[in-house]
Amino acid sequence: MQSKKTAIEKFKTGAAKPLNLHQLSNELIDGSISALSKCITLVESSKKAHKAEAQKIIEKCLPHTGKSIRLGITGVPGVGKSTFIEALGKYLTSKGKKVAVLAVDPSSSLSKGSILGDKTRMNQLSIDPNAFIRPSPSSGVQGGVTNATRESILLCEAAGFDVILIETVGVGQSETDVYHMVDFFVLLMLAGAGDELQGIKRGIMEMADLVLINKAEGDNLNPAKQARREYQNALHLFPPKNSKISPKVQICSALNNEGIDRGWKTIENFASETKSTGFFDLQREKQAVTALHHSIRYSINQNLASNSAIAKTLKEKEEEVSQKKTTPFKAADTIVKMLLK
Ligand code: GDP
C-alpha cells in the first residue's frame, strides 16, 4: 500500500533524502512555498542538528530580508483576530501583495493544539496562492518559540512576502515578544464588553500603534463609536511613542470587510513616515540587537538546565539564598564561573 506520509512528515522523520541546504535556500529565495515550509520546519525542530542547518539557511537568506512590513496582531480570544487577518490578508492579496501569517503562542504544544492550528479559521486565505499560513511552533523548539518566529519572519521575507502578520493571543508575555519583532502593532478590541480594557493589560495598550474596535456593525455600531472616543481619550494619557506618531483608534467589522482598507492605509502611512524619519530602520536594528540578547539569555538558561553539575549547584544555591546563607550576587558568581569553565 502506498505510504500516506506527506513530504514534510517524511522530512521530519528523516525518511527523505539528505537536504541540500544550498539548493533549499536558493529555492526559498526563488519563492518556493515548499522550500519555505521545509526551512521553517528546520527552524522549529527540537533537534540541535536541524537548528544548525537552519542557521546556515538563514545566514544565506539575510541579504534578501528586510523588505516586508511586519505587523503584530493581538486581542483576547473571540475578538476576531482570525476573521480580521483573513479580511486584511484577502484585501492585500487582491492588491497583488504576498501575505504570510505566523502565530506566536509559547504555551502551545502539538498535543494541545495551537492558535492558527485550525487553518479552516481562515478558509479563503488558506487557499490563496499568494498567502502562506503557519501555525504557532510547539513549545519543544530548539532555541525557543519566539526565536523560531523571529527566524521564520526572516525566511518569509527572503521568500518574497510583502506583509507578514504575526498573531498572538493577547494575554501574556507573547505580546511583548511580538512587539519586539514587528514594525507596527495592532490591538483588536470590542465595544461594551464590560471591563474597559477587557483583560488587556495597560502595557499592551501602550504598545499599540492602532487600536481597532471590531464587530462595529448593526446594533454594535454606536457602542463601537463610543468606545473609539473612550480609547482615544485613554491613549492621550500614555507617554508619547518612540515613533513620534500617536496611536490611532478606529472601528471595523472584519466580518463585513468594513474599515479594513482604512486600517491598512494607516499602516502604510506609518511605514512611509517612519521610513522617511529613519525610525523604521532604527527600530529594526534595535530589534536585531534585542534578539541577540534574547538568544544569549536563552542559551545560558539552556546550559544551566542541561549541565547536571551546574543544575545541582544551582539547586543548592537557591536553597542557600532563600536561607540567607549567601547573597544572590555571590551565588550567581559561582554559577557563572561554572558556566565559563
Ligand atoms: P479570534 O479568537 O480572536 O481569532 O476570533 P475569531 O476570528 O475566531 O472570531 C470569533 C467570533 O467572532 C467568530 O464567530 C467570528 O465570526 C466573529 N466575528 C469576527 N469578526 C466579527 C465582526 O466584525 N462582526 C461580527 N458580528 N462577528 C465577528
Side-chain angles (χ1 to χ4, degrees):
M1 207 174 87
Q2 213 185 353
S3 162
K4 288 215 173 87
K5 276 189 176 167
T6 63
I8 227 50
E9 278 167 342
K10 279 189 204 155
F11 166 72
K12 272 184 182 166
T13 54
K17 279 189 283 188
L19 285 171
N20 177 338
L21 297 185
H22 181 74
Q23 190 187 338
L24 192 59
S25 342
N26 282 341
E27 284 172 12
L28 183 148
I29 293 162
D30 282 344
S32 155
I33 295 290
S34 117
L36 174 62
S37 292
K38 282 183 188 164
C39 291
I40 295 183
T41 301
L42 281 180
V43 159
E44 292 176 351
S45 170
S46 56
K47 296 205 172 76
K48 264 197 171 152
H50 286 168
K51 188 76 197 169
E53 288 175 337
Q55 294 309 306
K56 284 187 195 150
I57 293 173
I58 295 166
E59 273 197 327
K60 195 154 188 298
C61 287
L62 275 180
H64 304 273
T65 63
K67 294 184 198 85
S68 76
I69 296 186
R70 305 168 184 171
L71 296 182
I73 294 175
T74 196
V76 292
V79 70
K81 291 182 295 296
S82 318
T83 315
F84 174 74
I85 290 171
E86 164 124 318
L88 178 62
K90 288 301 292 176
Y91 172 79
L92 292 172
T93 57
S94 78
K95 301 247 171 253
K97 297 204 183 293
K98 286 180 73 182
V99 179
V101 184
L102 308 172
V104 180
D105 178 5
S107 65
S108 77
S109 70
L110 286 180
S111 54
K112 279 192 290 174
S114 62
I115 52 170
L116 282 180
D118 179 9
K119 277 195 195 175
T120 56
R121 289 166 76 214
M122 295 176 199
N123 273 329
Q124 295 176 41
L125 200 59
S126 61
I127 52 166
D128 190 320
N130 284 320
F132 172 76
I133 302 180
R134 183 84 181 188
S136 178
S138 64
S139 45
V141 176
Q142 182 69 235
V145 167
T146 43
N147 268 344
T149 305
R150 208 174 268 122
E151 291 172 348
S152 300
I153 292 175
L154 297 174
L155 294 175
C156 290
E157 283 186 352
F161 284 88
D162 306 294
V163 183
I164 304 181
L165 305 170
I166 300 129
E167 178 186 3
T168 167
V169 270
V171 279
Q173 172 64 26
S174 53
E175 283 61 52
T176 318
D177 290 339
V178 169
Y179 177 69
H180 288 297
M181 50 178 109
V182 297
D183 307 310
F184 191 95
F185 200 76
V186 179
L187 173 61
L188 286 181
M189 301 287 273
L190 294 173
D195 168 24
E196 202 194 21
L197 299 186
Q198 294 164 58
I200 293 280
K201 296 197 182 71
R202 186 193 146 99
I204 295 177
M205 280 285 282
E206 270 183 57
M207 294 190 290
D209 298 295
L210 173 62
V211 175
L212 265 181
I213 299 149
N214 191 31
K215 310 196 185 182
E217 81 267 316
D219 290 348
N220 211 19
L221 186 58
N222 280 331
K225 287 181 177 169
Q226 172 66 22
R228 181 177 56 193
R229 280 190 289 276
E230 284 165 12
Y231 285 120
Q232 259 156 356
N233 290 336
L235 288 176
H236 279 312
L237 304 174
F238 290 158
K241 298 189 70 83
N242 292 339
S243 62
K244 307 259 192 310
I245 299 178
S246 27
K248 307 284 182 292
V249 186
Q250 295 171 359
I251 57 173
C252 72
S253 167
L255 198 64
N256 295 348
N257 277 308
E258 286 162 11
I260 306 298
D261 46 355
R262 180 175 46 218
W264 176 246
K265 256 266 112 350
T266 304
I267 295 162
E268 272 191 325
N269 288 345
F270 178 94
S272 64
E273 223 172 293
T274 52
K275 276 178 185 163
S276 70
T277 60
F279 175 80
F280 191 92
D281 290 334
L282 188 70
Q283 176 162 266
R284 284 201 170 182
E285 284 163 21
K286 281 189 184 163
Q287 288 174 342
V289 174
T290 302
L292 163 69
H293 288 281
H294 189 279
S295 295
I296 293 172
R297 274 197 301 277
Y298 186 88
S299 180
I300 290 175
N301 282 333
Q302 285 299 97
N303 275 300
L304 287 180
S306 62
N307 180 320
S308 57
I310 298 181
K312 183 166 168 280
T313 312
L314 181 57
K315 267 258 148 305
E316 289 163 8
K317 293 293 164 195
E318 282 172 1
E319 186 68 22
E320 288 174 28
V321 165
S322 64
Q323 303 293 319
K324 297 188 183 161
K325 288 183 183 153
T326 187
T327 68
F329 183 83
K330 195 152 174 260
D333 196 44
T334 309
I335 300 294
V336 171
K337 282 193 176 124
M338 285 180 86
L339 265 177
L340 294 177
K341 254 190 203 157

